[in-house]
């Protein structure tokens, strides 16, 4: 993982070949997806592949804070892959009407009004547009 830190936050190229952007301040979980989409080419993090799960774990191990992820209340990642069709490093319990965050080695739910860290993702190698 290669890190670069700015006054507002950090960005890095992770083991999954994606570029990640995070900020030191927190945001409301319900606003995370919209906030990431304000940065051209970025989306709220999707972790439907093992390599991306490893990048999420590496970030969590380094940073230790809870971060919002793009896993919908209908059990689908932001890229359209159903959670039960992915190979996940994390256990989780499905709860409706919540946003999901990575916390203490598990994907867990957070209320839309609760504070979380923003973790935005861009797939530059595959030129995917969120």
């Amino acid at each position: 993982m290669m890190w670069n830190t700015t006054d507002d936050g950090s960005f890095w190229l992770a083991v999954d070949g994606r570029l990640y952007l995070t900020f030191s301040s927190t945001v409301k979980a319900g606003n995370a997806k919209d906030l990431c989409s304000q940065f051209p080419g970025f989306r709220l993090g999707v972790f439907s592949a093992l390599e991306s799960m490893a990048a999420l774990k590496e970030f969590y191990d380094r940073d230790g804070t809870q971060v919002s992820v793009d896993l919908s209340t209908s059990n689908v990642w932001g890229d359209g892959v159903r959670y039960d069709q992915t190979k996940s490093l994390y256990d989780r319990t499905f709860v409706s009407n919540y946003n999901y965050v990575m916390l203490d080695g598990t994907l867990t739910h957070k209320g839309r009004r609760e504070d979380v860290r923003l973790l935005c993702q861009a797939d530059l190698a595959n030129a995917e547009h969120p």
Side-chain angles (χ1 to χ4, degrees):
M1 187 179 282
M2 179 185 70
W3 284 81
N4 191 353
T5 303
T6 67
D7 290 341
D8 296 333
S10 301
F11 60 93
W12 70 96
L13 184 61
V15 295
D16 63 352
R18 291 177 172 170
L19 185 63
Y20 288 88
L21 173 66
T22 190
F23 299 93
S24 55
S25 60
T26 59
V27 300
K28 300 299 179 195
N31 296 335
K33 187 172 182 176
D34 289 338
L35 290 171
C36 279
S37 68
Q38 292 178 7
F39 300 98
F42 282 89
R43 64 173 304 137
L44 186 59
V46 171
F47 302 94
S48 56
L50 279 178
E51 294 82 5
S52 293
M53 280 279 176
L56 177 61
K57 182 179 185 326
E58 193 170 0
F59 174 77
Y60 181 78
D61 289 347
R62 177 183 171 100
D63 190 80
T65 58
Q66 57 189 356
V67 294
S68 189
V69 299
D70 193 358
L71 180 62
S72 75
T73 57
S74 58
N75 206 28
V76 177
W77 287 106
D79 61 0
V81 175
R82 292 190 51 78
Y83 187 84
D84 59 7
Q85 293 176 343
T86 63
K87 294 179 179 176
S88 176
L89 298 177
Y90 307 110
D91 294 325
R92 72 173 187 85
T93 303
F94 176 71
V95 180
S96 61
N97 298 318
Y98 285 89
N99 290 73
Y100 282 88
V101 298
M102 164 47 170
L103 177 64
D104 294 333
T106 61
L107 287 172
T108 189
H109 60 278
K110 271 294 195 194
R112 295 181 55 78
R113 294 187 178 130
E114 294 185 56
D115 290 332
V116 297
R117 287 284 299 280
L118 191 63
L119 184 60
C120 305
Q121 178 187 72
D123 191 346
L124 303 178
N126 295 314
E128 290 180 6
H129 188 275

